[in-house]
Amino acid sequence: MSVNKLRGNTQRTRTEEESVRPRFRLSLDWDSIFSSPKSTLAWGIFFLLAGIILEVSFISYIVTGLADQSIIDALGQESIRDAGRQTRNFLGVLGATFSHIFVYRWFGVGALLLPFVPILAGWKIAFGKELLPLTRATQEVIFYTLWVSVLMGYIVLMSNSENTMSFASGGFGYMVNVWLFDWLKWGSIIPIFFALFVFAVYFYDAKTLVENWQRKPEKEETVVNEAEVPDQNVSSDIPDVEMEIQKQPVKQPEYVSVANDTYDDDIIIPRVVEPEKEEKQNGVHVLEVLNKEEFVKPAAIVSPPVVPVPATDLELELEVSSETLLPREIREVVDDEDVNASILREFGQYDPMLDLPSYQFPTYNLLSDVIDNQHEKVTQEELESNKTKIVETLGSYGINISKIKATIGPTVTLYEIIPEAGVRISKIKNLEGDIALSLAALGIRIIAPMPGRGTIGIEVPNKNRETVFIRSVLMNERFQKSTYDLPIVLGKTISNEIHIADLAKMPHLLMAGATGQGKSVGLNVILASLIYKKHPAELKFVLVDPKKVELTLFNKLERHFLAKLPNADEAIITDTKKVIFTLNSLCIEMDSRYDLLKEASVRNLKEYNTKFAQRRLSPEKGHKFLPYIVLVIDELADLMMTAGKEVETPIARLAQLARAVGIHLVVATQRPSVKVITGLIKANFPARLSFRVTSSIDSRTILDMGGAEQLVGQGDMLLAINSEVIRLQCPFIDTREIEDVCEFIGSQRGYDEAYALPEYEGDENSESRSEVNTDDFDQLLPEAARLIITHQQGSTSLIQRKMKLGYNRAGRIMDQLELIGVVGPFTGSKARDVMFHDLSQLDDHLRSMGISG
C-alpha cells in the first residue's frame, strides 16, 4: 500500500509541476544544441574554418590551373589514395573537388568571394560580433560573384582563350556570354555594366546619397541656449566641489548643433570661447563657439558635456597660442614642412637627371638589323610528322591521345597532348627516352602536367632554330612602355612572347650554365636592357670579372654607370682581394642607406627617392638621391675557390638585406655545385636562370629540378621564379654591338668620376703589424721555409709529412710563411704559389725580416 501511495504522490507532484512550467519537448534539445555557449563557439569555429578551407582550396586551384581536372574526372576509376598522391591542390582531393565545382563549372574567379559568407557567419556565431553586416554582405557576395563570373566570361570569349582561361569565368559566366554574344556580339558588355549600375542605384541607394550631399551645404548653424540643454545631460555624480564652481558667476558655455550623417538627431557639442580680458577675473576657462567649417567630426559622442573647471595660476600666465601648446620637436617638424613646401613651390621637384642634362640614351641603330630567317622556321611537314610519331609511340604502349596541339617557338616546339581518361601521368613521363628515339631529336623535355592548362607538354627542339636578336626585343612595345623599376629582357617564350622581368622585384638573379652555352651573352643582354632603359643618375653597376675578359667592354661607362672603390685604378674588379673589399664596401653602403631610410621614415628606396624628389628631406642632414646599384659577378666559382667564406658572407648578407635599399645581385657561375652555390647563398636567390648544364645533378642544384641538362644550348634556358619554370630563348648581342653602345655613351659628357663606394680598409693594418712582430713565430719556421723552397711546393701536408708535425701546427707555420711573403695566398685545393726559387734568396729575405735560424 505504501508503495502505491508513493507512486500516487509522485504522479500528482509531476502533474502539478507541469501545470506550473511548460512541458519539456524534443525541440528544446535542438535549441540547447545551438544556443549553449559551447555549441555556439563550436559551430562558429566550424563555419569559420570551412570558409577558410574553401578560400585556400579555390586560390590553390587557380594557381595550379586545371592540373587536377583529369584527376577529378577519374575519381570513380582509381582509389582516393592514388588520386591524393597526384593532386596538386593544397587541400588534396577534397579541395580539388570543391574547387572544380565552384570555380571551373560554376563561377570562375568570382567564386573567391563565396567563402567570405561562412567566415562572417562563423565569426558572428563564435564571438557574438559582426565584422560586417551579415545579411547585407551576403547579398553583395551573391551579386558580385555572378557579375564577376559574367565579366570574366566576356573577356575569355572575346580573347578566344577558352582553352587556357576557361577557369577564369566558370561555366555560368561563359554560357551567359555565349547567349549574349548571339544577340549583341561585342556589345554584350553594355548589359553587363548596366546590371552593375542598377545594383549600385538600388542596393546602395545612390539617389538618396546624392540628395543628402546636395542638401548638406544648405543646412544652417543653430545655436542653442543654456536653458534648452536637457538637465539629464549633466551627471548627478559630480562632486560637491565642482557643483560649487558651477554656481560662481561665470559666462556659461554655448553649444552648437552640427549635422551628422550617421545619426538622425543633431549632436550638441561644447566650443571654447575666446575669453575677453575683463572676463578672466574669476580664473575660469570658458567655451567658444567655433565656425561650422572649423569643426572636425569626432570619432564618438562624448556625454555629458564638459564641465568648466578652474585654471591654475600657471595656466593664467600662459598665452593660448600654437607655439606654447606644441612641444619644441613638433614645432621644428612643422617649420621644416613649411620650408620644404615653400622650396617645392619655388623650384619644383628635384630631378637627378639634370646633373647630366645633355645625356642621350643609346639609339637602336647601334644594334644589328633583324635578319629575315623565314626559311629557318618549322615547316608544316615537320609538325605533322612529329605529331604522328608522338601519337604512334604512345599508342604502342597503350596510351591513347584524345587531342594534340602544337605551339611553335624560336628554339623548340611545344606539343600539348590530352590523354584519354584513366591514363596516369607518370606512365607518359617515363617514356621520355622512347619519344626522343622516335623523333630522332636531342633534348626532349616532358612537362606533366602543364601548369594552369590541364595538359601534358612535350618540348621538341626545332631542326632549324630561329635567332632572337637583341634589337627586336628592345624595340618591342612591351619593353618600351614598361614601368618596371629595373626592367630586363630575358628572351622569347615558346609562344613567341617577349619575357620582361623586374630585377627590383626578383630581387636577385642566380645564373648557371656550362661553357659556351650563352651565359656571358645573357649577362650582356641584362646589362644592355638596363642601359637602354635607365638614366645614369638612376642606376650604377658594380662589375666583378675574375676572368678579366668578359666585362672589360663596359669599362668605357666608368663616368656614367659604374661604381668603384675610392682611389681604385679600374672600375672593373678582377683581383680577388679587391673583390672582397668591394663586397664589404657594398655592405657598408647598405647599412648607411638603411640609416637614411630610418631617418626618413620610409620602407624602401622608391619611397625614399620620391620623398627626396618632393623636397621633404633636407640635404643638410645627409639626405641625397640614391641610385639603384646592381652587382654583377661573372664567375662565382673562381671567387669561392680563392676566397671562400670571405666572399660567401658578404654576398649572403647583401642577398638577405639589400633589396629594400636598392642593391641587387646578378651572380653567374659555370658549374652550380654545392661548394659554389652554398645553401646560405641559394636560399636568398629566389630567381634562378639556367642555361644548359652537364648533368641532372647540376640542374637540381640550380633549379631544384631536372631539365637543364636537356636544353639544346646557344641561349636555350630555363627560368625558375615563383614556383614556375619558363623555357626561354635568350636574345643574341654581338661584341661589336656592345662596343658601339659603350662608345656612344662614353663619348658623351659624364660625371667627373665613377660613383664612389664607401672606403673599406680590411685587415691590412693588422697584417702589417703581424709582419713586424716576429716573436710569436714558430721556431721551425726557417726550416719549413727551406723545405718549401727545396721542393717548390707550397703545401701544408708537405710540412706535416716531412717535419712530422701535427696538422694544426703545420697550418700555423704555413700562415706565417704567407705573412712574410714566402708563399702566396690560399687557393683552395691547389698548392700555394712559392715566391722564391733558391735558398740564397730565401736566407737574405729571412735576415731582412729579422728571422734567424
Side-chain angles (χ1 to χ4, degrees):
M1 294 295 294
S2 61
V3 175
N4 293 335
K5 185 177 182 180
L6 180 60
R7 290 180 179 177
N9 293 336
T10 304
Q11 183 67 29
R12 285 197 300 270
T13 302
R14 292 177 179 174
T15 305
E16 293 173 358
E17 291 176 354
E18 289 178 357
S19 63
V20 175
R21 64 182 182 183
R23 184 184 298 271
F24 184 84
R25 292 173 296 182
L26 184 61
S27 61
L28 292 178
D29 292 335
W30 290 102
D31 293 340
S32 63
I33 291 175
F34 290 97
S35 61
S36 66
K38 296 181 180 179
S39 299
T40 54
L41 179 62
W43 281 106
I45 298 299
F46 170 78
F47 284 113
L48 194 63
L49 292 177
I52 295 175
I53 289 173
L54 286 176
E55 188 68 22
V56 171
S57 63
F58 291 173
I59 295 175
S60 176
Y61 184 83
I62 292 177
V63 171
T64 58
L66 305 179
D68 298 333
Q69 182 178 357
S70 60
I71 301 174
I72 299 304
D73 294 335
L75 275 180
Q77 303 176 7
E78 61 180 359
S79 64
I80 298 296
R81 176 177 296 180
D82 293 335
R85 292 174 179 174
Q86 299 176 20
T87 184
R88 297 185 61 184
N89 194 284
F90 189 77
L91 294 178
V93 177
L94 187 62
T97 303
F98 280 102
S99 303
H100 184 74
I101 295 174
F102 284 92
V103 178
Y104 182 80
R105 292 187 179 179
W106 289 355
F107 307 118
V109 295
L112 294 176
L113 300 173
L114 293 176
F116 286 98
V117 174
I119 290 176
L120 295 175
W123 187 276
K124 179 179 180 181
I125 295 173
F127 305 109
K129 298 179 181 179
E130 284 187 341
L131 295 176
L132 293 173
L134 182 58
T135 303
R136 185 179 182 86
T138 303
Q139 296 171 352
E140 290 178 303
V141 165
I142 294 175
F143 172 80
Y144 285 114
T145 298
L146 300 176
W147 188 81
V148 170
S149 176
V150 174
L151 178 64
M152 295 304 299
Y154 177 85
I155 297 174
V156 170
L157 186 63
M158 293 301 167
S159 60
N160 294 324
S161 56
E162 293 89 350
N163 294 332
T164 59
M165 295 292 294
S166 58
F167 67 92
S169 63
F172 172 80
Y174 184 80
M175 294 307 298
V176 170
N177 277 276
V178 170
W179 180 78
L180 289 174
F181 185 83
D182 295 337
W183 289 85
L184 297 173
K185 298 293 183 183
W186 62 267
S188 56
I189 191 66
I190 299 175
I192 295 175
F193 277 98
F194 180 75
L196 178 64
F197 171 78
V198 173
F199 180 81
V201 169
Y202 285 91
F203 189 83
Y204 299 109
D205 200 7
K207 183 178 180 181
T208 304
L209 293 177
V210 173
E211 291 176 354
N212 291 338
W213 178 77
Q214 293 175 347
R215 188 169 59 247
K216 187 175 181 179
E218 301 175 359
K219 195 164 186 177
E220 297 181 354
E221 182 181 293
T222 304
V223 179
V224 184
N225 296 328
E226 177 193 6
E228 297 176 354
V229 180
D231 295 336
Q232 58 269 22
N233 288 341
V234 181
S235 175
S236 61
D237 297 331
I238 302 176
D240 297 336
V241 178
E242 296 182 358
M243 296 299 295
E244 293 178 359
I245 293 174
Q246 293 183 15
K247 296 177 181 178
Q248 295 178 4
V250 296
K251 187 177 178 180
Q252 297 297 327
E254 298 179 351
Y255 297 85
V256 63
S257 174
V258 181
N260 188 291
D261 293 339
T262 307
Y263 300 93
D264 295 332
D265 298 330
D266 293 339
I267 305 172
I268 308 297
I269 60 171
R271 303 295 183 175
V272 178
V273 176
E274 180 66 21
E276 302 292 341
K277 293 182 179 180
E278 62 271 15
E279 292 178 349
K280 288 185 179 180
Q281 56 186 354
N282 294 322
V284 179
H285 287 295
V286 293
L287 301 177
E288 170 186 321
V289 179
L290 298 181
N291 293 331
K292 186 174 181 180
E293 291 76 13
E294 301 174 358
F295 170 65
V296 180
K297 189 183 299 182
I301 303 176
V302 180
S303 181
V306 179
V307 178
V309 295
T312 62
D313 296 337
L314 179 62
E315 292 175 338
L316 294 177
E317 295 176 358
L318 299 177
E319 293 184 4
V320 181
S321 65
S322 61
E323 295 184 359
T324 58
L325 291 179
L326 294 177
R328 177 176 58 83
E329 294 81 1
I330 299 180
R331 293 201 305 272
E332 291 178 354
V333 172
V334 174
D335 295 340
D336 291 342
E337 292 292 339
D338 295 338
V339 172
N340 295 335
S342 62
I343 296 176
L344 181 62
R345 288 193 300 270
E346 183 176 356
F347 298 99
Q349 289 194 359
Y350 173 79
D351 187 1
M353 300 182 187
L354 294 180
D355 294 340
L356 296 178
S358 60
Y359 175 80
Q360 296 181 1
F361 284 85
T363 63
Y364 296 101
N365 295 330
L366 301 172
L367 305 176
S368 300
D369 292 335
V370 179
I371 301 175
D372 187 12
N373 48 11
Q374 294 290 335
H375 61 282
E376 296 182 357
K377 291 186 178 180
V378 180
T379 62
Q380 186 66 28
E381 292 77 9
E382 181 180 349
L383 287 178
E384 295 298 332
S385 175
N386 288 341
K387 285 183 180 180
T388 303
K389 291 177 181 179
I390 291 174
V391 173
E392 291 178 353
T393 302
L394 294 178
S396 63
Y397 289 94
I399 301 174
N400 296 324
I401 304 301
S402 61
K403 185 178 180 181
I404 184 169
K405 174 185 176 183
T407 303
I408 303 175
T411 305
V412 298
T413 299
L414 174 65
Y415 296 90
E416 294 183 72
I417 62 174
I418 301 178
E420 291 185 349
V423 177
R424 294 188 178 182
I425 295 177
S426 58
K427 189 175 181 180
I428 299 178
K429 206 166 186 179
N430 293 332
L431 298 176
E432 189 173 72
D434 299 278
I435 298 175
L437 178 62
S438 64
L439 296 175
L442 176 65
I444 296 294
R445 181 169 170 262
I446 294 181
I447 310 171
M450 291 286 293
R453 299 194 182 185
T455 59
I456 297 175
I458 302 176
E459 294 176 349
V460 181
N462 299 332
K463 293 182 180 180
N464 298 313
R465 299 178 54 177
E466 176 185 354
T467 303
V468 179
F469 292 93
I470 184 67
R471 180 171 179 172
S472 65
V473 294
L474 294 184
M475 293 183 66
N476 188 272
E477 185 178 4
R478 289 187 58 195
F479 180 76
Q480 295 290 327
K481 296 183 179 180
S482 173
T483 58
Y484 289 158
D485 295 327
L486 293 175
I488 56 175
V489 174
L490 296 179
K492 275 189 177 182
T493 64
I494 292 180
S495 56
N496 282 292
E497 295 180 355
I498 305 297
H499 186 83
I500 303 173
D502 189 1
L503 182 60
K505 293 182 179 179
M506 278 185 168
H508 313 293
L509 179 61
L510 187 61
M511 301 175 61
T515 303
Q517 303 302 317
K519 176 169 51 62
S520 296
V521 175
L523 284 177
N524 293 335
V525 169
I526 292 175
L527 293 173
S529 302
L530 295 173
I531 290 172
Y532 266 87
K533 198 67 177 178
K534 308 301 290 185
H535 190 275
E538 302 173 302
L539 175 65
K540 301 297 177 184
F541 294 116
V542 177
L543 303 181
V544 177
D545 185 13
K547 292 188 289 188
K548 303 180 182 181
V549 295
E550 294 295 342
L551 300 178
T552 54
L553 297 175
F554 295 93
N555 211 2
K556 297 179 181 179
L557 306 180
E558 178 177 345
R559 295 184 299 111
H560 294 83
F561 282 101
L562 300 189
K564 66 176 184 179
L565 292 172
N567 302 322
D569 297 333
E570 296 181 355
I572 310 295
I573 304 117
T574 57
D575 183 65
T576 303
K577 195 170 188 178
K578 292 181 180 179
V579 171
I580 298 173
F581 285 5
T582 302
L583 293 177
N584 286 279
S585 175
L586 282 175
C587 291
I588 298 174
E589 173 77 11
M590 176 185 69
D591 294 334
S592 64
R593 289 190 172 199
Y594 267 113
D595 292 337
L596 293 177
L597 263 63
K598 178 182 177 182
E599 294 176 3
S601 301
V602 294
R603 297 182 299 174
N604 54 57
L605 182 77
K606 191 173 183 178
E607 294 178 2
Y608 177 87
N609 285 337
T610 301
K611 201 170 185 178
F612 184 83
Q614 296 173 352
R615 304 189 185 274
R616 297 165 60 190
L617 301 175
S618 174
E620 297 178 356
K621 297 182 179 180
H623 294 289
K624 59 183 178 179
F625 185 87
L626 300 177
Y628 285 97
I629 297 179
V630 177
L631 170 63
V632 179
I633 301 178
D634 186 36
E635 185 50 66
L636 179 63
D638 183 74
L639 298 179
M640 293 296 293
M641 290 178 61
T642 56
K645 289 292 183 181
E646 293 180 284
V647 171
E648 179 186 5
T649 302
I651 288 179
R653 190 164 183 263
L654 290 171
Q656 289 172 347
L657 301 175
R659 171 185 182 176
V661 294
I663 301 177
H664 305 277
L665 281 65
V666 179
V667 179
T669 182
Q670 287 186 359
R671 186 183 178 194
S673 64
V674 293
K675 292 183 179 180
V676 177
I677 304 177
T678 62
L680 189 61
I681 293 178
K682 185 177 178 180
N684 296 288
F685 282 81
R688 288 86 171 272
L689 193 152
S690 178
F691 294 88
R692 186 180 182 183
V693 293
T694 56
S695 66
S696 60
I697 298 177
D698 292 343
S699 177
R700 293 188 184 97
T701 303
I702 182 67
L703 299 177
D704 294 330
M705 61 176 294
E709 76 282 1
Q710 299 288 349
L711 300 176
V712 295
Q714 297 183 358
D716 189 19
M717 60 185 182
L718 293 175
L719 173 65
I721 184 171
N722 297 329
S723 302
E724 183 181 4
V725 179
I726 306 172
R727 190 164 186 173
L728 301 171
Q729 174 61 43
C730 180
F732 176 74
I733 183 170
D734 193 9
T735 302
R736 184 195 59 79
E737 297 175 279
I738 300 175
E739 290 177 347
D740 293 343
V741 172
C742 294
E743 182 66 30
F744 178 85
I745 298 175
S747 61
Q748 302 183 46
R749 177 183 175 272
Y751 298 99
D752 296 335
E753 56 184 0
Y755 185 84
L757 297 174
E759 190 171 357
Y760 177 77
E761 295 294 340
D763 298 330
E764 288 183 333
N765 294 334
S766 62
E767 291 179 2
S768 62
R769 288 193 295 268
S770 300
E771 292 174 4
V772 176
N773 185 13
T774 60
D775 296 336
D776 296 334
F777 281 2
D778 196 288
Q779 296 178 355
L780 298 178
L781 177 67
E783 183 181 351
R786 294 185 181 96
L787 179 66
I788 293 295
I789 300 303
T790 301
H791 290 80
Q792 287 294 303
Q793 181 180 357
S795 171
T796 303
S797 61
L798 176 66
I799 300 175
Q800 188 179 0
R801 293 194 314 271
K802 296 295 184 179
M803 301 181 67
K804 299 180 180 180
L805 300 177
Y807 179 79
N808 293 334
R809 187 177 181 182
R812 286 194 300 269
I813 292 176
M814 183 61 69
D815 293 337
Q816 294 168 6
L817 290 175
E818 179 186 355
L819 288 177
I820 64 176
V822 176
V823 295
F826 176 75
T827 57
S829 60
K830 299 180 181 179
R832 296 174 184 252
D833 295 332
V834 181
M835 303 303 177
F836 298 93
H837 299 286
D838 55 68
L839 294 177
S840 61
Q841 292 179 350
L842 173 65
D843 292 337
D844 294 338
H845 180 70
L846 293 178
R847 280 193 298 268
S848 66
M849 298 294 298
I851 301 174
S852 60

